[in-house]
Amino acid sequence: MKAHLWHTAFKPATGGAPQNATTRMLLLVTKLHKNGVLSAEAKGRVKDQVLRGTITEAELQRQYGSAAAVHTRNFSTTFNPFAPSAKKHQEATWSTVEGTLLVLDGDSIQPSSKIASFDMDDTLITPKSGRAFATGRNDWRWWNPSVPQRLTELHQQGYKLVIFTNQAGIAKGNARACDIQGKIQDLAAELGLPLQAFVATSEDKWRKPSTVMWDYFIKHHNGNVAVDNQQSFYCGDAAGRIKAWDGNPHTAKDHSCSDRKFARNVALPFQIPETCFLGQPDTQHFDWGSIEPTTAMQSAGAKAYEGNLTASSQEMVICVGTAPAQEQSGKSTFTKRNLVPQGYVHINQDTLHTKSACLQATEKALAQGKSVVIDNTNPSDSARALYINIAKERGVPVRCFTFKTPIELAQHLNVYRENMSGVKRVPGIAYNMFKKQYVEPRLAEGFTEIKPITFVPQFDNPDQEKLFHQLT
């Protein structure tokens, strides 16, 4: 069918001069663009290849000729870019959500209760250059020759094909959004199948394994059709597999477990590419690579502290965490729930913005006879001394609350806070800086008591608790 369309699509009118290969190829490129198979950028790129002679007619037919036989489910006509009388379907287009999520969608992409969803890199495709990261839009080949056939089978079985991919290199300046977008459009064109895509371009709330990208897809891009999670699945290579997981001592470990976590968080069956495309079984030799929130809750216990939390007379409480942001050790939540309602003035640099403002607010509150809680990270003895000296000048006793939250839990809370409130997560480098500054609190600094506080999660509603249980 492809060959027939290829030769008849450019048959010259009666009496016309025969068309040479270059003319036929340029006409094909124009028709592919007109019918939505090639974007304007892709059209220019392929046209340039034709004119420079770097692509043959056979290669062009192999790459794009399959688009002639695209038959999209729920459409009454077959999309044939070679046939002038064929019905033209609206090209899938890209949109941007909140600046960092890219979405590919269009009328040709129909909703379905069965979702076959995939990571992209090293799952559907891999760099043909052999490098770890693709060098541009054209640096790709199918992960395995079986990928196109399997995707076609899934489409024929009524599955909607969707890509969910992390591409933080865009925000970091290591990759161009247009290259990633064009590459995905090229995949769809070569497949000749409708392909929907969601691209998280930064290390923010959209990034897998967070469910925010999936939730947005469900709410806005599946035509209000409920997804059958048991019939659907997610496939990705970031499965946390350990070194030599397949028995081969030369097999490297996976770079992360984000795809397996993502599938679990959105309650989808998970497949590795070897299972989806080669029929091989998954392995139990993998590591989640992060804390299990449910286990953390069970081991936390029911009570966060021993003894009296508040004082009957004026005092200062200085909080010291073990992470570079207040919410990562649970300090801010704890103080707002337990001390502020008891009349303690909350001193926090996130809200007051500067150290100077915090010190001034502290002096003012103590002068008014109020108790204060210093809810900053306060990692060093020198940082704590600034507040202790203010208390000493007024004869106010100072206690220290230490929040010794395990680093793995602190990192989980970092992402949880971002997903819940939109506050951008603290970058990994901040942990190393905090560690260098941290000095264990001592009574000799001027504290009357050092009280350890154990993290015990508390939630205002079921949605917060559900979010806390997601793997990060």
Side-chain angles (χ1 to χ4, degrees):
M1 180 179 180
K2 296 179 191 176
H4 170 73
L5 289 167
W6 181 270
H7 292 299
T8 60
F10 304 107
K11 184 178 179 180
T14 303
Q19 296 174 335
N20 61 29
T22 299
T23 300
R24 289 196 301 271
M25 293 163 72
L26 290 175
L27 284 170
L28 170 63
V29 171
T30 299
K31 284 182 176 288
L32 289 170
H33 170 63
K34 182 178 179 181
N35 289 281
V37 177
L38 290 177
S39 65
E41 181 183 358
K43 174 190 174 185
R45 176 177 53 81
V46 178
K47 182 179 178 181
D48 183 61
Q49 290 177 318
V50 171
L51 294 175
R52 288 188 290 108
T54 57
I55 186 170
T56 67
E57 190 170 5
E59 289 173 334
L60 190 61
Q61 180 180 7
R62 183 173 64 253
Q63 290 185 31
Y64 300 107
S66 60
V70 175
H71 184 75
T72 305
R73 181 167 41 88
N74 294 332
F75 278 97
S76 60
T77 61
T78 299
F79 173 30
N80 178 0
F82 304 97
S85 62
K87 180 180 179 180
K88 177 182 176 182
H89 298 307
Q90 180 178 337
E91 180 181 6
T93 57
W94 287 97
S95 61
T96 303
V97 182
E98 296 182 9
T100 57
L101 177 68
L102 303 178
V103 178
L104 178 66
D105 199 3
D107 288 349
S108 62
I109 302 171
Q110 297 297 297
S112 176
S113 62
K114 298 196 301 182
I115 306 299
S117 52
F118 301 88
D119 181 38
M120 183 171 71
D121 297 318
D122 295 316
T123 297
L124 296 179
I125 60 174
T126 190
K128 65 181 178 182
S129 63
R131 298 185 180 184
F133 300 99
T135 57
R137 173 173 180 167
N138 299 315
D139 186 15
W140 69 272
R141 61 178 174 82
W142 295 113
W143 177 79
N144 184 276
S146 64
V147 172
Q149 179 181 351
R150 179 59 180 147
L151 294 178
T152 300
E153 291 172 351
L154 289 166
H155 174 66
Q156 292 171 344
Q157 293 167 11
Y159 282 87
K160 181 182 186 180
L161 306 178
V162 187
I163 290 175
F164 293 95
T165 177
N166 290 341
Q167 299 290 338
I170 294 174
K172 296 176 181 177
N174 299 326
R176 299 192 306 169
C178 62
D179 285 341
I180 303 300
Q181 292 170 305
K183 184 182 298 184
I184 293 175
Q185 289 176 301
D186 292 345
L187 300 187
E190 182 155 329
L191 287 169
L193 299 173
L195 190 61
Q196 195 172 44
F198 296 81
V199 182
T201 65
S202 184
E203 292 184 347
D204 58 13
K205 68 177 184 178
W206 300 108
R207 184 175 175 82
K208 296 177 299 182
S210 165
T211 66
V212 180
M213 189 158 47
W214 171 266
D215 296 338
Y216 186 82
F217 154 69
I218 293 294
K219 185 175 181 179
H220 299 287
H221 291 275
N222 201 39
N224 295 320
V225 175
V227 172
D228 185 337
N229 284 43
Q230 295 305 310
Q231 289 290 316
S232 304
F233 67 88
Y234 182 74
C235 173
D237 68 298
R241 292 168 291 184
I242 64 175
K243 179 178 173 60
W245 63 268
D246 58 354
N248 183 342
H250 301 293
T251 300
K253 68 176 183 178
D254 289 338
H255 65 279
S256 80
C257 196
S258 61
D259 288 328
R260 194 185 293 272
K261 291 177 183 178
F262 178 68
R264 173 171 157 174
N265 286 344
V266 300
L268 288 181
F270 176 71
Q271 296 181 11
I272 55 175
E274 289 81 358
T275 300
C276 185
F277 301 115
L278 304 179
Q280 299 175 4
D282 195 359
T283 178
Q284 295 303 310
H285 300 298
F286 70 88
D287 182 0
W288 289 110
S290 64
I291 194 169
E292 168 55 74
T294 302
T295 302
M297 280 192 66
Q298 293 172 346
S299 61
K303 194 171 182 180
Y305 57 91
E306 298 294 336
N308 295 324
L309 189 64
T310 58
S312 57
S313 57
Q314 186 184 25
E315 69 165 347
M316 173 186 288
V317 171
I318 294 180
C319 296
V320 178
T322 53
Q326 288 89 302
E327 287 293 347
Q328 292 178 42
S329 56
K331 291 195 292 80
S332 289
T333 298
F334 182 86
T335 56
K336 290 175 182 178
R337 286 179 181 273
N338 296 282
L339 296 182
V340 174
Q342 302 303 315
Y344 285 69
V345 176
H346 187 236
I347 306 297
N348 179 273
Q349 192 163 321
D350 283 350
T351 56
L352 296 176
H353 305 300
T354 67
K355 182 188 298 182
S356 175
C358 289
L359 294 172
Q360 291 177 15
T362 300
E363 290 179 336
K364 180 179 178 180
L366 292 182
Q368 295 173 343
K370 298 177 181 179
S371 293
V372 297
V373 53
I374 313 301
D375 178 25
N376 295 323
T377 51
N378 302 314
S380 65
D381 49 2
S382 59
R384 299 188 288 265
L386 296 175
Y387 295 96
I388 293 173
N389 290 337
I390 294 175
K392 282 183 177 179
E393 290 176 359
R394 295 190 173 274
V396 175
V398 185
R399 291 191 296 161
C400 177
F401 287 5
T402 59
F403 294 75
K404 298 203 172 196
T405 307
I407 189 64
E408 296 84 2
L409 179 56
Q411 291 169 336
H412 173 74
L413 291 171
N414 185 25
V415 179
Y416 166 70
R417 178 179 64 157
E418 179 178 61
N419 293 341
M420 182 179 67
S421 62
V423 177
K424 191 170 179 60
R425 71 184 68 175
V426 176
I429 191 173
Y431 289 88
N432 294 329
M433 294 176 60
F434 183 89
K435 185 177 181 180
K436 290 180 180 179
Q437 298 174 354
Y438 182 75
V439 176
E440 186 78 18
R442 297 167 293 112
L443 290 173
E445 293 179 42
F447 296 121
T448 60
E449 179 189 15
I450 298 176
K451 179 183 287 292
I453 307 294
T454 302
F455 174 77
V456 176
Q458 294 177 291
F459 311 103
D460 294 326
N461 55 62
D463 287 341
Q464 288 184 2
E465 183 171 3
K466 179 181 178 181
L467 191 61
F468 177 83
H469 283 282
Q470 290 182 11
L471 295 170
T472 57

